[in-house]
Amino acid sequence: MAMNTTKPALLISACLLGQPVRYDGQAKGQTPQQLVALTTHFQLIPTCPECAGGLPVPRPPAEISGGDGSDVWQGTAKVMTADGQDLTTAFTNGAEHSLDLAQQHGCQLALLKANSPSCGNRQIYDGSFTAQLQPGEGVCSSLLRQHNIRIFNEEEISTLLETAGRKT
Ligand code: SF4
């Protein structure tokens, strides 16, 4: 049976591939089975927007204050640490770097870490540093979405694979 050997490019949060780039120096790698499925079906393009924005590992946890990622791009919300450090510029710079990378590789799909102030696609923490989630998207997810890149999180890998299956 003839197979389509062209794999679509998938932008992916580096921490989901096991890279220890999270604020606490940890990773959130997926199961070997999931990684095999992803590498079978996609050309993986890893990115960590917070590292790309110049932030170190480890780094203080940050949350969006005053809205979500789309509000950050509109200038009505900021990314702050619990002790009041404004990291908005690093987050937006890193998001722009990740968008450039995605566009260079022709990514139309992204698999990004849920709940992150950069990568979250459906929920983010509410800015109170009390572990409360609220509906919203992260800074990088918002920018990618505005450029027509469809975003999935690690709980949505099966849907992502189905979507890619229909596309190839
Ligand atoms: Fe993972 Fe995104 Fe946070 Fe980087 S910014 S550690 S890729 S969730």
Side-chain angles (χ1 to χ4, degrees):
M1 185 170 64
M3 290 183 61
N4 183 346
T5 56
T6 303
K7 297 182 188 179
L10 177 71
L11 191 76
I12 182 168
S13 291
C15 59
L16 294 180
L17 283 176
Q19 295 183 21
V21 291
R22 281 168 53 87
Y23 71 93
D24 56 3
Q26 301 296 307
K28 284 287 182 180
Q30 300 303 288
T31 67
Q33 292 88 346
Q34 286 172 318
L35 293 175
V36 166
L38 291 171
T39 53
T40 298
H41 292 284
F42 299 103
Q43 177 196 0
L44 300 181
I45 311 297
T47 187
C48 174
E50 293 174 23
C51 296
L55 295 172
V57 180
R59 54 189 173 274
E63 297 187 4
I64 298 175
S65 176
D68 77 346
S70 61
D71 299 307
V72 169
W73 291 109
Q74 290 176 16
T76 58
K78 294 181 176 181
V79 185
M80 305 293 294
T81 64
D83 63 0
Q85 191 181 358
D86 185 343
L87 300 182
T88 305
T89 300
F91 272 62
T92 54
N93 285 346
E96 286 170 343
H97 181 277
S98 294
L99 175 63
D100 285 347
L101 188 66
Q103 292 181 328
Q104 283 169 21
H105 289 86
C107 298
Q108 297 178 328
L109 299 167
L111 175 61
L112 301 184
K113 177 75 188 72
N115 305 338
S116 151
S118 287
C119 293
N121 66 336
R122 299 193 185 282
Q123 298 185 105
I124 55 169
Y125 291 100
D126 70 358
S128 66
F129 293 92
T130 57
Q132 294 296 313
L133 287 166
Q134 64 180 9
E137 59 190 358
V139 175
C140 185
S141 286
S142 178
L143 186 66
L144 297 173
R145 179 187 55 74
Q146 291 172 51
H147 288 80
N148 301 315
I149 295 173
R150 190 169 170 189
I151 301 165
F152 300 80
N153 65 45
E154 70 273 23
E155 304 297 331
E156 301 167 334
I157 290 176
S158 59
T159 308
L160 165 64
L161 291 166
E162 289 168 17
T163 301
R166 287 196 295 270
K167 290 171 75 76
T168 54

